[in-house]
Amino acid sequence: MSVSTMLRHRCDTARNTALGTNGRHIPTPHLTGVRCAFMPMSAEAAVRNGFDVGFGWYVYAASSADILIGDRLTWNGETYIVKGKKPYLQFGGTSHIEFTAETEHANGQ
């Protein structure tokens, strides 16, 4: 099975952009319709990754996806903040990227 057939979801991305010279940043739309797959983390994996239980996710995308740590992903009406990135190049004959992401809390954290 190819990676593209496993990427059944589509998300939009936003990247932090500098707002003036005071060090503030705002999320700016970056890409739309990125093929991906969202999978919730187990409670144990969430704790191990430093996330609150129920807020941790694994997100998979093609190795060519322009997604960086700190980007915001919007899928299914929720926003997720990318916290980690691990590429798998030619892993079993296919390439993909695994991201760890956290559901954006109501307080913006």
Side-chain angles (χ1 to χ4, degrees):
M1 181 180 306
S2 72
V3 171
S4 63
T5 58
M6 294 172 39
L7 303 177
R8 298 178 183 265
H9 304 137
R10 296 208 181 250
C11 70
D12 298 333
T13 69
R15 185 160 290 162
N16 284 332
T17 305
L19 180 64
T21 58
N22 62 1
R24 292 186 53 204
H25 291 81
I26 59 168
T28 304
H30 179 60
L31 300 170
T32 59
V34 176
R35 291 178 66 121
C36 57
F38 282 77
M39 297 188 64
M41 285 184 186
S42 66
E44 179 182 291
V47 170
R48 188 174 52 243
N49 282 286
F51 303 145
D52 291 338
V53 173
F55 287 85
W57 293 80
Y58 292 112
V59 182
Y60 300 91
S63 58
S64 60
D66 181 20
I67 299 173
L68 303 175
I69 294 172
D71 284 356
R72 284 174 163 67
L73 310 177
T74 303
W75 170 69
N76 207 24
E78 294 283 339
T79 301
Y80 307 84
I81 302 169
V82 176
K83 301 288 187 167
K85 179 178 179 177
K86 183 188 276 187
Y88 290 91
L89 304 177
Q90 292 305 315
F91 184 75
T94 62
S95 298
H96 67 281
I97 303 172
E98 175 187 87
F99 300 95
T100 53
E102 184 175 25
T103 306
E104 186 173 54
H105 293 42
N107 64 4
Q109 299 283 328

